[in-house]
Amino acid sequence: MDQLYFKTTNKEALLNELGLPLDTPTFYDSGNGWILHWIGKIPQSTKVINEGTEEEEELVEWQEGEFFNVYLKGQNNMDFFTKSVKSAVQILPEPNTPNYTLL
């Protein structure tokens, strides 16, 4: 199973494009060889705050867009998500080498 990382600036358009309802859960199994894992907003930067003896981080800024992963099987699904989905931007390119197991 491969994993791709994406972001979108329009969640509603993306879900509509994938044929999914707006209330799609965090993990959605399509039944067609791919699973959507919705992550949402990711912090761009934080600052460390010292309160007493504990260090805490405070959010300063969010990254643009919302993020999600797709776990998929098969070349057809890989082609669909890397070439056909218009409402998302792929964060990481396809690997140059096939997946392999580290021993």
Side-chain angles (χ1 to χ4, degrees), residues 32-45:
N32 295 318
W34 58 270
I35 298 171
L36 179 90
H37 173 204
W38 193 262
I39 298 168
K41 293 279 195 186
I42 297 178
Q44 175 75 28
S45 61

Side-chain angles (χ1 to χ4, degrees), residues 4-8 14 18 36-40 42 66-70 81 85 87-89 91:
L4 299 173
Y5 305 91
F6 292 91
K7 77 173 183 177
T8 183
L14 172 74
L18 295 176
L36 179 90
H37 173 204
W38 193 262
I39 298 168
I42 297 178
E66 294 187 60
F67 295 78
F68 64 98
N69 298 342
V70 175
F81 281 99
V85 177
S87 299
V89 176
I91 303 301

Side-chain angles (χ1 to χ4, degrees), residues 11-49:
K11 179 180 181 179
E12 185 175 339
L14 172 74
L15 294 176
N16 187 37
E17 184 175 356
L18 295 176
L20 304 177
L22 292 179
D23 60 347
T24 297
T26 302
F27 283 95
Y28 176 82
D29 186 345
S30 70
N32 295 318
W34 58 270
I35 298 171
L36 179 90
H37 173 204
W38 193 262
I39 298 168
K41 293 279 195 186
I42 297 178
Q44 175 75 28
S45 61
T46 58
K47 67 178 180 180
V48 175
I49 300 172

Side-chain angles (χ1 to χ4, degrees), residues 33-95:
W34 58 270
I35 298 171
L36 179 90
H37 173 204
W38 193 262
I39 298 168
K41 293 279 195 186
I42 297 178
Q44 175 75 28
S45 61
T46 58
K47 67 178 180 180
V48 175
I49 300 172
N50 291 321
E51 288 190 16
T53 58
E54 293 186 25
E55 265 190 16
E56 294 183 19
E57 288 189 4
E58 181 179 279
L59 177 68
V60 175
E61 182 181 9
W62 291 104
Q63 291 187 36
E64 179 188 357
E66 294 187 60
F67 295 78
F68 64 98
N69 298 342
V70 175
Y71 304 92
L72 53 88
K73 289 183 183 177
Q75 190 62 47
N76 288 343
N77 284 326
M78 179 68 78
D79 290 344
F80 174 73
F81 281 99
T82 57
K83 298 175 184 169
S84 300
V85 177
K86 305 289 185 230
S87 299
V89 176
Q90 188 176 351
I91 303 301
L92 297 177
E94 281 188 70

